[in-house]
Amino acid sequence: MSAAAATDFGRLRPWRAEDAALIRAAGWRNQTGAALQLDAPAEQWLLLADPVDERPLACLRLVARLGLAPLPRYSYHLGQIVHAAAELGLFRVQPTLLLGNDHTGESELADLACAPELDAAQQQAALQRLMRAALETMAAQPERYGRQLLIELAGPREPSGASPFWQGLGAHFFSGDPAAAESRLGEAWRSHLAALLPRQTLYLSFLSPEAQAAVGQVGDAGRAAAAAAASLGFADSSHVRIDDGGPVWGLRLD
């Protein structure tokens, strides 16, 4: 799809009361593979519609300040620790994970989703259009928003739907079904999950090879959003999601 076609794709319009029911009935999933948080306030939503029949084509939710209410947002910071002993000829860099709330107060693009009938190029064009609209909204009232705009992306999944990262780490601390927990609790489920996870620094080398390989990688559910975000300058923030290890990308606004 050409740049001109991407610019002309769909029409931005305000969120309507009936949009939530239409999107729910069509089974839209967001960029992390979860159901959309359609009970969020209408003013948070940006929507791209078909210019002919006004049906929703894509949407996103702009969160002004992340993790301030009602629950904090958690992520793993990807760091490293060096073990060195000159007399033993030892120098080894160990990648690490550390649970925290580093992005509290920043802004977020959440619930990026497209109509299932859109192909990959159309999804990327639609989400890019919405991201640009979100940046314009933020530029008009910069005092409302954080210094960084974040987007969480889905981590890799096996054909069965299982997450290698979850199986290598989270499943040791929560024996339930993470998909069922997220369906019941929405995005707040990861804040509850964080209470069960260790606060100590974790060495990636303690995880299975499959879990290590999944850290920071984009899964299928996040590819269209990742392509759109990359085109606008979003980059890796050295943080990953605590359930599936998907990357958290950021764009500095100052």
Side-chain angles (χ1 to χ4, degrees):
M1 179 176 291
S2 68
T7 302
D8 296 336
F9 187 80
R11 183 181 76 82
L12 292 166
R13 70 160 170 80
W15 183 266
R16 298 173 181 170
E18 63 269 23
D19 288 329
L22 292 172
I23 289 172
R24 187 177 288 111
W28 289 26
R29 311 295 288 182
N30 67 20
Q31 79 281 5
T32 64
L36 278 66
Q37 302 298 305
L38 293 168
D39 56 348
E43 62 269 17
Q44 291 187 358
W45 292 93
L46 295 175
L47 187 133
L48 197 67
D50 187 288
V52 177
D53 60 14
E54 295 287 295
R55 65 185 174 88
L57 294 176
C59 67
L60 64 75
R61 185 163 56 90
L62 176 57
V63 180
R65 297 284 182 173
L66 184 63
L68 298 180
L71 293 170
R73 175 70 61 84
Y74 288 85
S75 62
Y76 280 123
H77 175 254
L78 279 170
Q80 58 185 22
I81 292 177
V82 174
H83 294 271
E87 63 276 14
L88 298 177
L90 172 68
F91 187 95
R92 185 169 183 183
V93 178
Q94 289 276 8
T96 60
L97 296 172
L98 182 62
L99 187 68
N101 312 108
D102 293 343
H103 292 138
T104 300
E106 303 290 15
S107 301
E108 182 187 35
L109 297 180
D111 283 327
L112 289 93
C114 296
E117 65 269 19
L118 299 187
D119 63 29
Q122 291 172 327
Q123 290 182 37
Q124 180 180 341
L127 294 178
Q128 185 183 67
R129 180 90 180 276
L130 285 169
M131 290 180 188
R132 289 189 184 278
L135 289 170
E136 292 170 1
T137 298
M138 298 174 73
Q141 293 181 294
E143 68 281 357
R144 288 192 58 198
Y145 301 96
R147 296 174 300 172
Q148 186 174 197
L149 181 60
L150 304 170
I151 177 174
E152 293 191 356
L153 299 165
R157 300 274 173 171
E158 297 172 353
S160 65
S163 161
F165 182 79
W166 173 260
Q167 292 174 319
L169 180 53
H172 295 288
F173 300 93
F174 175 65
S175 60
D177 180 357
E182 186 165 18
S183 177
R184 180 166 59 90
L185 298 173
E187 63 181 10
W189 104 270
R190 282 179 294 133
S191 295
H192 297 297
L193 169 64
L196 306 177
L197 298 174
R199 294 305 199 260
Q200 297 86 356
T201 299
L202 302 174
Y203 282 37
L204 275 184
S205 57
F206 290 170
L207 306 185
S208 68
E210 294 79 10
Q212 293 182 52
V215 173
Q217 300 302 306
V218 180
D220 291 341
R223 295 198 187 283
S231 72
L232 297 178
F234 283 78
D236 178 51
S237 71
S238 297
H239 288 77
V240 299
R241 288 163 43 84
I242 65 174
D243 53 356
D244 63 9
V248 181
W249 287 3
L251 179 68
R252 297 290 300 187
L253 300 175
D254 53 359

